[in-house]
Amino acid sequence: MLPFIVPPVILQAVAVVVQTKAGLGLGLQLGTGFIINRLGPQRWSAPSYFTIKNASAGLTVGYRKLESIMCIRDEAALQKLIDTEFALGTDVMLSLHPATREAPGQAGPQEVKSWDGNEEAALAAFTLADGLGLDISLKGGLTSVDAATNRAVFGEGATPDKLLKGEVPPPPQFSQLYALLNELESEAT
């Protein structure tokens, strides 16, 4: 798990994403993840699961695995992330060797996006990347709700809206994550 750098007390939501990308000229990037919403002090929602499917074209050679934590600062950024289904963008990365997971300081802000033009980004992603390759490409893809996983974990009718508003109780398997976020929140206040 990545070190958590941003104090949860200033966050609206947290997303965890695992993706793999491989290519030779054309690339394919697949991933899964979940997002949890901060409902109030020391309270977090059940996770809503999603999938990512991207294709790219350009100078793409190699393979990489990305593990990210996205820190979402406000409700507008959370809604934009949930509502976004199709996206176009660029991807630039040079990986000469696998990241060393045990080494401190390997995780850092790899990407910061601001949707509203303010200096303080509404979303920051902290990413660990393993792999070997070069990637300078144009990409497009889909991020969509993983309704099958949401149903399998929470039953029929478990929509992202219900999950992220706290209408569905969180699963006990997430208790360690909630405890860590609550501990970090306590330390920050």
Side-chain angles (χ1 to χ4, degrees):
M1 181 111 173
L2 295 172
F4 206 91
I5 298 168
V6 178
V9 72
I10 65 168
L11 295 180
Q12 178 61 48
V14 176
V16 177
V17 184
V18 177
Q19 301 176 76
T20 56
K21 182 171 185 176
L24 182 60
L26 298 176
L28 181 63
Q29 185 170 339
L30 302 173
T32 59
F34 65 86
I35 188 166
I36 59 173
N37 187 28
R38 186 170 182 266
L39 301 172
Q42 307 271 315
R43 286 191 56 234
W44 296 86
S45 74
S48 179
Y49 294 91
F50 60 91
T51 61
I52 298 169
K53 298 174 185 168
N54 291 324
S56 63
L59 180 57
T60 302
V61 179
Y63 168 85
R64 68 180 175 180
K65 180 179 179 182
L66 305 169
E67 296 176 343
S68 303
I69 291 180
M70 293 186 198
C71 302
I72 302 147
R73 290 182 56 125
D74 58 41
E75 184 69 35
L78 172 63
Q79 202 57 51
K80 197 152 201 145
L81 182 65
I82 293 169
D83 292 343
T84 301
E85 288 190 6
F86 182 76
L88 285 174
T90 58
D91 212 358
V92 177
M93 184 170 186
L94 174 63
S95 298
L96 299 177
H97 54 79
T100 305
R101 292 178 182 279
E102 295 78 33
Q106 288 293 322
Q110 297 293 322
E111 179 177 5
V112 177
K113 296 181 180 177
S114 177
W115 288 310
D116 56 10
N118 292 334
E119 286 185 21
E120 290 188 19
L123 181 146
F126 299 88
T127 301
L128 284 179
D130 290 334
L132 180 63
L134 173 65
D135 187 10
I136 303 173
S137 59
L138 177 64
K139 70 176 181 179
L142 295 172
T143 300
S144 56
V145 173
D146 188 345
T149 300
N150 283 341
R151 268 193 313 275
V153 174
F154 301 107
E156 290 296 324
T159 64
D161 193 49
K162 288 181 181 178
L163 292 166
L164 297 175
K165 286 186 176 177
E167 295 175 21
V168 177
Q173 296 87 342
F174 276 66
S175 61
Q176 285 184 315
L177 175 60
Y178 298 132
L180 174 63
L181 291 169
N182 291 338
E183 180 184 327
L184 290 169
E185 182 178 332
S186 294
E187 290 174 5
T189 54

